[in-house]
Amino acid sequence: ELLRDDTFPPLPLPCTVLHVRRSDSGLARQPFRRYAALREYIETGNISAGDTVVLLTDDRSTIDEAQKFHPHIRWIYAQRPRHYAANGGFDG
């Protein structure tokens, strides 16, 4: 449904899809989910400069991190409200 929505741009191929779930990372509960930097996802996925990556995430700070620290990658993501871990709330 998300990919049929007007908020998501057409996908150029080839591309890599990353799902970065962070809203419950680092919380003191079981099972514990470690907070992983976006760099770890990029390295594990063998993503290189100029690659196109579809970023699926529940956290706005992941998009901020992608744009600030990895501008050499072409990021595609839906424009929608997300959890904003840094502020403990939602954007939008």
Side-chain angles (χ1 to χ4, degrees), residues 70-90:
H70 307 285
H72 57 284
I73 295 169
R74 180 176 178 209
W75 298 102
I76 297 175
Y77 49 87
Q79 298 292 333
R80 58 182 298 274
R82 289 180 170 79
H83 177 77
Y84 203 13
N87 293 336
F90 284 86

Side-chain angles (χ1 to χ4, degrees), residues 4-91:
R4 287 186 225 117
D5 191 330
D6 290 338
T7 62
F8 208 90
L11 298 180
L13 297 176
C15 66
T16 300
V17 178
L18 286 182
H19 178 218
V20 180
R21 181 176 151 190
R22 288 188 169 168
S23 63
D24 60 351
S25 296
L27 298 178
R29 66 178 186 194
Q30 295 298 324
F32 178 77
R33 291 190 63 250
R34 182 179 70 82
Y35 182 95
L38 187 56
R39 175 187 46 77
E40 295 178 63
Y41 288 88
I42 291 169
E43 290 171 357
T44 301
N46 294 316
I47 297 167
S48 302
D51 286 356
T52 299
V53 177
V54 177
L55 182 58
L56 305 174
T57 185
D58 59 355
D59 183 43
R60 176 66 206 181
S61 67
T62 304
I63 295 170
D64 296 344
E65 183 180 346
Q67 293 172 333
K68 182 176 181 178
F69 297 109
H70 307 285
H72 57 284
I73 295 169
R74 180 176 178 209
W75 298 102
I76 297 175
Y77 49 87
Q79 298 292 333
R80 58 182 298 274
R82 289 180 170 79
H83 177 77
Y84 203 13
N87 293 336
F90 284 86
D91 68 352

